[in-house]
Amino acid sequence: MKNILTIAIPVYDYFTGFLRNIEILNRQISSGNNAVTICISDDSNNSDVENFYSTNFAKNPLYTYIKGPQKGAVANWNRCIEGNDSIYSLVMHTDEYVKSEEFIRTLIPILETLEYDIIILSLKKETKTKSYLHYPFVFKYLFLLFPQL
């Protein structure tokens, strides 16, 4: 049976952001949710992420690690998306993160009932002074051009 979701984490020299993501996601996956896999694609100039993966997840079949050649951000994302056989892929950059401990438990039943090729999740952006919903600029532009989407 195919996994429902692969969470792709492209990393480039931001180990702290990677740790923040992987810690909350690992707690949710470790709680027995085998519908989800994590693919780490690492373009970093150092071996921090590689060493962490080798120590903590190398023997866990729910985790995959890919050391890039450094060919840019898009190639880094695509390595994770192309290298999995899940129904859906979610790209989670190291400067984004999930705050909810219920993220995977909430998302999987929704994905199991949908039949769409693309699902766009909104982000809640937080600064020191405010919090607001945020969509990446490219999607704002897309919806302005094609409001029926």
Side-chain angles (χ1 to χ4, degrees):
M1 183 176 144
K2 277 187 166 187
N3 290 327
I4 302 295
L5 176 67
T6 291
I7 299 175
I9 305 177
V11 183
Y12 179 76
D13 290 345
Y14 187 27
F15 184 65
T16 318
F18 165 77
L19 280 179
R20 178 183 57 205
N21 279 340
I22 206 72
E23 286 171 356
I24 194 166
L25 293 172
N26 186 52
R27 284 194 298 272
Q28 294 178 49
I29 290 175
S30 296
S31 65
N33 194 326
N34 292 335
V36 179
T37 59
I38 292 183
C39 179
I40 304 158
S41 181
D42 185 10
D43 269 1
S44 299
N45 291 311
N46 56 55
S47 58
D48 294 346
V49 173
E50 184 174 13
N51 292 340
F52 182 86
Y53 171 83
S54 296
T55 303
N56 296 283
F57 301 121
K59 295 181 181 178
N60 187 331
L62 299 178
Y63 290 81
T64 304
Y65 176 84
I66 304 167
K67 182 67 174 178
Q70 291 181 332
K71 292 189 175 182
V74 174
N76 199 14
W77 313 331
N78 286 344
R79 276 193 291 273
C80 283
I81 294 169
E82 293 167 353
N84 78 71
D85 63 354
S86 295
I87 297 168
Y88 291 100
S89 296
L90 170 66
V91 178
M92 184 176 293
H93 301 278
T94 53
D95 60 346
E96 302 166 351
Y97 66 101
V98 173
K99 289 178 74 171
S100 170
E101 292 287 341
E102 302 296 316
F103 175 72
I104 290 174
R105 188 182 67 75
T106 304
L107 183 60
I108 293 302
I110 294 168
L111 294 178
E112 288 175 327
T113 61
L114 297 176
E115 295 183 13
Y116 298 106
D117 293 330
I118 298 173
I119 300 166
I120 300 170
L121 302 174
S122 65
L123 304 172
K124 185 176 181 183
K125 188 166 183 160
E126 296 180 350
T127 66
K128 291 181 181 181
T129 58
K130 63 182 177 176
S131 174
Y132 55 92
L133 285 178
H134 168 74
Y135 294 93
F137 177 76
V138 68
F139 293 129
K140 288 180 187 175
Y141 184 68
L142 180 67
F143 291 123
L144 287 174
L145 286 177
F146 304 101
Q148 69 275 15
L149 293 179

